[in-house]
Amino acid sequence: MLHIGCHLSSSDGFEAMGKTALSIGADTFQFFTRNPRGSKAKAIDPQDAASLRQLLQEKHFAPIIAHAPYTLNPASADPKTREFARLTMQDDLQRMEYLPGNLYNFHPGSHVGQGVETGTQFIIGLLNEILTPAQTTTVLLETMAGKGSEIGRTFDELKYILDGVKQNDKMGICLDTCHISDGGYDLTRLDDVIAEFDKQIGLARLKAVHLNDSLNPRGAHKDRHAVIGGGTIGTETLATVINHPALKHLPFCLETPNDLDGYAQEIKLLRGLFRG
Ligand code: FE
Ligand code: FE
Ligand code: ZN
């Protein structure tokens, strides 16, 4: 059974996302915890959250992914920017307990010139302030394309963050195929990439995959997603990703430039390419 879904709009609430996912053949999905550019989150409707919890259970969904606003920068040189990231992520994690046992993904951040080492220490410091032993959510670092001064372009940089987090039993990794290709990893040699991940980080940490094609060649450090088969990675290689024995049990989430019909078609295509 392939667990696959896509990024959905949360504007109609939790249960609506679950129903939309079902309508396009998905059994997982991702959503932004709040307007990705804004700061204020809608108050949680506990009834709506309960309805989604029930639907996820009844329809045997894989874990779903909440995505932090991509404008946050936990690695910023500016204390106010870091504080804003901390407060937002802390609030998001409290809200995630309405949907216990799922995933919360964020972009580690950009060091904006102060260096990977300093930026990384800020990320670690923030995580050490917000993670709690009681939380049921697993917090994921996303693999990044290395655009500008993004931290998390290499497995090594992600491993360094995990090592610094005290509560790192609450931490995992979300692997984005567009980002790692843009970051320089060669997905046509998937066994090597996975062996490298296992050596640096450990495969047990891998909790989700963002399945995207890329508009740019390997190593371009750009981060522009393409539809499946419409980019430089290609359908054949992405099919090896969903079928790899080390990955095939994971939730796969499309973040391709698509409307719902396009997502439904990609989900159908990928289910057809899954060998079980
Ligand atoms: Fe992301
Ligand atoms: Fe992504
Ligand atoms: Zn991206």
Side-chain angles (χ1 to χ4, degrees), residues 2-50:
L2 175 66
H3 299 299
I4 188 162
C6 64
H7 190 92
L8 293 174
S9 160
S10 60
S11 56
D12 294 327
F14 287 135
E15 191 189 17
M17 287 190 284
K19 288 183 169 166
T20 300
L22 286 174
S23 77
I24 57 170
D27 66 347
T28 180
F29 60 89
Q30 175 175 272
F31 62 99
F32 285 124
T33 54
R34 58 191 76 213
N35 181 329
R37 299 201 162 274
S39 55
K40 194 98 174 80
K42 266 192 304 196
I44 296 254
D45 173 354
Q47 205 65 57
D48 183 31

Side-chain angles (χ1 to χ4, degrees), residues 2-6 25-28 211 252-254 266-267 270-271:
L2 175 66
H3 299 299
I4 188 162
C6 64
D27 66 347
T28 180
L211 198 70
F252 293 92
C253 187
L254 298 159
E266 284 189 345
I267 289 168
L270 291 157
R271 288 203 184 283

Side-chain angles (χ1 to χ4, degrees), residues 106-133:
F106 76 106
H107 297 178
S110 298
H111 65 72
V112 288
Q114 49 180 342
V116 177
E117 175 65 22
T118 306
T120 298
Q121 290 309 325
F122 286 141
I123 299 164
I124 291 169
L126 182 146
L127 288 166
N128 280 333
E129 281 187 77
I130 67 171
L131 298 185
T132 66

Side-chain angles (χ1 to χ4, degrees), residues 129-159:
E129 281 187 77
I130 67 171
L131 298 185
T132 66
Q135 73 180 61
T136 65
T137 302
T138 301
V139 175
L140 307 183
L141 302 167
E142 182 166 353
T143 60
M144 299 311 291
K147 190 175 60 178
S149 62
E150 276 174 352
I151 297 172
R153 177 179 60 88
T154 63
F155 300 153
D156 195 48
E157 288 182 4
L158 296 169
K159 160 75 171 161

Side-chain angles (χ1 to χ4, degrees), residues 245-261:
L247 309 178
K248 64 182 192 178
H249 62 285
L250 295 169
F252 293 92
C253 187
L254 298 159
E255 299 175 309
T256 47
N258 267 312
D259 57 14
L260 272 185
D261 281 346

